[in-house]
Amino acid sequence: MCRQSATVCLIKSPALESVAGLSLVERLRMLPDPRRRRGVRHPFVAVLLVAASAVIAGARSYAAIGQWSANAPQHALARLGARVTGTLGVRVAPSPATIRRVIALVCPGGLADLTGASPGGADSVAVDGKAARGSRHGQTPAAHLLAAMTGDGRTITQLRVPDKTNEITCFAALLKPYDLSGVTVTADALHTQRDHVCFLVEDKHAHFLLVVKANQPGLHRRL
């Protein structure tokens, strides 16, 4: 199952060692194209790179991503691997509809595992969750994501918290694939749980720094 949703993963998450040192393009090429082969016009990786470039440039919606794509100069589209058409070799940007469709189909778990940073060498890792902005649609609640970041701001990974549950049930699954030996893991009071501490100390050989509030009344009184 996908680490980010209730769908079946299209990719078996690679060993972290196999992607270390690879460029973003090389990592994205490891993702399978989820589209049907018939009618495909734009390279899969190029669509993802165009979307990522637009977001880096400040786009915060599909409409803004599509506008950036439509206005991108030829040299930028060439660097991103956009489709070539005609005898003059003109680069054609993917349409907003194509970008939206590809992003909706791509396996989020595989993408997160391929593009995340390694916690190796980090002094600390912070775990925190929040609702994804703009993900609410009609009666469907916003997606709630739990993420892990290094102390210097590099995202390691994230997963989607399933509906009808909370971050507590996802804490161990988020960190399980990573070597956290000697790393200090920080989190808010929600994760001040006995099982979390045992997991960090006994399974991951990590240190921990957790906030104590009234959700742990006995421990709170003793402190």
Side-chain angles (χ1 to χ4, degrees):
M1 298 298 287
C2 181
R3 276 161 47 82
Q4 299 235 10
S5 67
T7 60
V8 177
C9 264
L10 298 176
I11 180 174
K12 181 178 180 181
S13 295
L16 298 177
E17 296 80 4
S18 68
V19 300
L22 297 181
S23 67
L24 176 60
V25 174
E26 291 170 326
R27 294 185 184 206
L28 291 178
R29 284 175 180 161
M30 298 176 70
L31 278 173
D33 189 340
R35 300 171 295 178
R36 296 179 180 177
R37 295 181 62 183
R38 184 176 181 180
V40 170
R41 301 176 63 192
H42 297 276
F44 175 58
V45 172
V47 176
L48 296 179
L49 290 175
V50 166
S53 299
V55 171
I56 292 173
R60 293 295 180 267
S61 67
Y62 282 115
I65 292 173
Q67 185 177 22
W68 186 93
S69 174
N71 294 328
Q74 285 291 298
H75 68 85
L77 293 176
R79 290 285 301 273
L80 298 173
R83 181 171 68 95
V84 179
T85 185
T87 57
L88 297 179
V90 176
R91 298 281 177 168
V92 179
S95 68
T98 296
I99 295 172
R100 178 188 286 267
R101 184 167 57 251
V102 169
I103 292 177
L105 289 174
V106 71
C107 176
L111 185 61
D113 289 342
L114 282 172
T115 58
S118 169
D123 294 326
S124 63
V125 168
V127 175
D128 195 17
K130 65 177 181 179
R133 182 179 179 182
S135 61
R136 182 175 180 177
H137 182 71
Q139 299 300 316
T140 303
H144 193 86
L145 304 177
L146 185 65
M149 299 181 65
T150 62
D152 58 0
R154 292 176 293 127
T155 300
I156 299 169
T157 189
Q158 66 179 14
L159 58 78
R160 180 169 181 172
V161 178
D163 296 338
K164 300 181 180 180
T165 183
N166 58 38
E167 296 177 17
I168 295 175
T169 61
C170 300
F171 183 86
L174 179 77
L175 300 176
K176 186 176 180 180
Y178 301 95
D179 181 5
L180 298 175
S181 300
V183 176
T184 299
V185 177
T186 67
D188 59 26
L190 180 65
H191 296 289
T192 306
Q193 307 287 335
R194 187 185 301 272
D195 289 344
H196 289 5
V197 171
C198 291
F199 166 73
L200 291 173
V201 174
E202 297 175 4
D203 295 353
K204 308 306 293 183
H205 308 291
H207 308 296
F208 62 90
L209 180 61
L210 303 173
V211 179
V212 178
K213 291 185 177 180
N215 64 320
Q216 295 289 347
L219 179 60
H220 189 263
R221 285 195 300 270
R222 290 197 298 273
L223 294 176

